[in-house]
Amino acid sequence: MALIPLIPLLFLDRKVLDNDMKISTDILIVGGGVSGSACGAALMNSGYKIICIDQGTGGPLDTSRGDHISPANVAAMDSWGVLEDFFSIGATKRVGHEFRSSISDLLLRAEYSEMGISHPYFLVVNHEKISSTFLNFAQKNPDFTLLQPYSAKEFDITDGDITKVRASNKDGELIEVSAHIVIACDGATSSIRSALSVDTFEHPYTHPMVAFFSERPDVLKPDDYFFRYSGDYGQLVIQQRMDGTIKITMPVGDEGIPWWKKSTNQERIAIIEKIAPELSGIQAELGGFYPVRMIHAIDYAIGNTVLIGDAAHAIHPARGQGLNMGIASMQTLIPLLPKPDQVADKTAVRRALGAFQAFQKPLNERIIARNHSAAMDMEMGADDNRAFVMKKQNEFLKVMASDKTLRAKHLNEATGYHFGAAS
Ligand SMILES: Cc1cc2nc3c(=O)[nH]c(=O)nc-3n(C[C@H](O)[C@H](O)[C@H](O)COP(=O)(O)OP(=O)(O)OC[C@H]3O[C@@H](n4cnc5c(N)ncnc54)[C@H](O)[C@@H]3O)c2cc1C
């Protein structure tokens, strides 16, 4: 197989790129989901040669997954120059949240404008549009090449470094990429994590999640708020969608997935309206079921490779942090990387990735611990003693709402300002 130099390849059309070939690059991103595509966008104007391999076929992605991007990440996306691209595809804003009891008592209400931050809103974008928008932006960088749909299957590993990655498409066409840095964004079942034998800490949750879509009922106001309802019959969350409809997510209780699958709308609503009375009368269309498992890699940095996003930490969606942790990692990682003219220095690469792990992992441990606590509350909210658990939670929410310090901490964490928002 001929060794083809990288630079001319970047200007060749897709047909030529699909031939069997060997490529050298500075940075190889494996996976073009939210994390990998955000990485590509964040590396705009960085001066590195970048290849991103993604196995997605361009078919529809699961729209029920994460779709609210935190204010801290929105600020980062603005600094990368990609934010306007999201508004141009119809992204909307969520400006606050309300936690309510199942008898519609207000427990906590907050607007992000009270924090004095630069972008006081969550960006609301359907999950399937997030990575395509990041990737379209990244592809404006002449040094960025997307190879899709290619699946990375074989990894040559020497002294802990991934020296070559071989990927193929469905026609069996093969590419081989050598890179100074490998950024593994290949999701919760990461093949790179397995190839590098990275141990994980795992916790399987008992209750899978179920998602529904519906028209927004007129009584659910304001339109640009997130709502959480909890009471004697359990807990659910309601998130606005970019088209004005809503997504409802809740744990599956003893009734089980088969029951929900064959349920009529009337049967669904009989359960849902006991938790959130404002949802009585909706048509709840099933979005999907999600078995939930926490998977946290023991190491993020291994040789010249770094695990990012769900490849490093797949978590319960209880606090809407999964997607946001992947995007937020870029703010730490990219400034630490050796400059393009030093990227061939293996020691500098290992030092940079080690520094990333040293900073990011303890922060993520804290986010994951708090997320796990919320996930366990959600689990208990689907168990028999839920009335007791929800009552305690609701009392605590009222305390938090009225205590200035607790409220500020709650808002900082919810919006991605884990070290506090600069006012
Ligand atoms: C029901 C539900 C609700 C959620 N809600 C929220 C929320 O409100 N807020 C939030 O922040 N998060 C939420 N999440 C979590 C969020 O969706 C994920 O954390 C996020 O999508 C992970 O992104 P990722 O890019 O790291 O991984 P993935 O999205 O899994 O992307 C991995 C990518 O790698 C590619 N890939 C995999 N293997 C290979 C290979 N061998 N070769 C090439 N390409 C490969 C795949 O094609 C894919 O594009 C939710 C999740 C669920 C299930």
Side-chain angles (χ1 to χ4, degrees), residues 30-37 53-57 61-62 64-68 127 131 148 150-153 155 167 185-192 209-211 239 247 249 290-291 308-311 313-317 319-326:
V30 179
V34 172
S35 304
S37 62
I53 298 178
D54 184 67
Q55 68 187 13
T57 53
L61 297 175
D62 185 348
S64 303
R65 297 180 77 199
D67 47 7
H68 284 216
H127 183 82
S131 47
Q148 189 186 44
Y150 275 88
S151 178
K153 293 202 166 123
F155 309 95
C185 300
D186 53 343
T189 55
S190 171
S191 345
I192 296 190
M209 302 294 291
V210 55
Q239 286 170 288
K247 177 172 84 174
T249 321
Y290 302 89
I308 296 284
D310 277 19
H313 39 70
I315 60 171
H316 193 289
R319 295 183 79 236
Q321 298 283 339
L323 160 160
N324 283 300
M325 287 169 76

Side-chain angles (χ1 to χ4, degrees), residues 219-238:
V219 288
L220 189 67
K221 294 284 180 201
D223 290 348
D224 47 5
Y225 266 47
F226 163 102
F227 295 93
R228 197 186 87 180
Y229 282 81
S230 46
D232 290 355
Y233 296 95
Q235 186 181 106
L236 60 75
V237 300
I238 306 171

Side-chain angles (χ1 to χ4, degrees), residues 170-283:
K170 66 175 173 32
D171 298 323
E173 291 165 330
L174 190 71
I175 50 169
E176 184 178 278
V177 184
S178 319
H180 297 303
I181 299 175
V182 177
I183 303 186
C185 300
D186 53 343
T189 55
S190 171
S191 345
I192 296 190
R193 196 180 63 219
S194 303
L196 291 168
S197 305
V198 180
D199 280 340
T200 51
F201 173 81
E202 304 203 10
H203 178 91
Y205 294 98
T206 310
H207 295 280
M209 302 294 291
V210 55
F212 303 98
F213 298 109
S214 162
E215 294 297 317
R216 171 180 282 275
D218 290 342
V219 288
L220 189 67
K221 294 284 180 201
D223 290 348
D224 47 5
Y225 266 47
F226 163 102
F227 295 93
R228 197 186 87 180
Y229 282 81
S230 46
D232 290 355
Y233 296 95
Q235 186 181 106
L236 60 75
V237 300
I238 306 171
Q239 286 170 288
Q240 72 193 76
R241 305 262 295 159
M242 60 192 274
D243 62 0
T245 60
I246 54 170
K247 177 172 84 174
I248 303 154
T249 321
M250 59 190 281
V252 174
D254 287 345
E255 69 282 356
I257 290 178
W259 183 89
W260 283 104
K261 277 189 175 160
K262 64 175 180 46
S263 60
T264 62
N265 188 62
Q266 206 179 1
E267 287 167 332
R268 286 172 199 166
I269 299 308
I271 291 189
I272 290 173
E273 71 182 0
K274 280 200 256 179
I275 307 174
E278 274 78 359
L279 296 181
S280 75
I282 63 164
Q283 288 290 323

Side-chain angles (χ1 to χ4, degrees), residues 34-108:
V34 172
S35 304
S37 62
C39 184
L43 286 167
M44 177 67 88
N45 302 322
S46 62
Y48 301 103
K49 306 286 178 210
I50 308 151
I51 301 280
C52 176
I53 298 178
D54 184 67
Q55 68 187 13
T57 53
L61 297 175
D62 185 348
T63 193
S64 303
R65 297 180 77 199
D67 47 7
H68 284 216
I69 301 177
S70 72
N73 280 333
V74 173
M77 287 158 57
D78 201 7
S79 73
W80 305 340
V82 69
L83 183 58
E84 283 310 313
D85 292 26
F86 280 88
F87 286 119
S88 69
I89 58 132
T92 57
K93 296 179 181 180
R94 157 185 146 201
V95 302
H97 58 245
E98 263 191 30
F99 290 19
R100 297 175 175 176
S101 79
S102 293
I103 50 169
S104 300
D105 263 355
L106 178 62
L107 305 169
L108 182 151

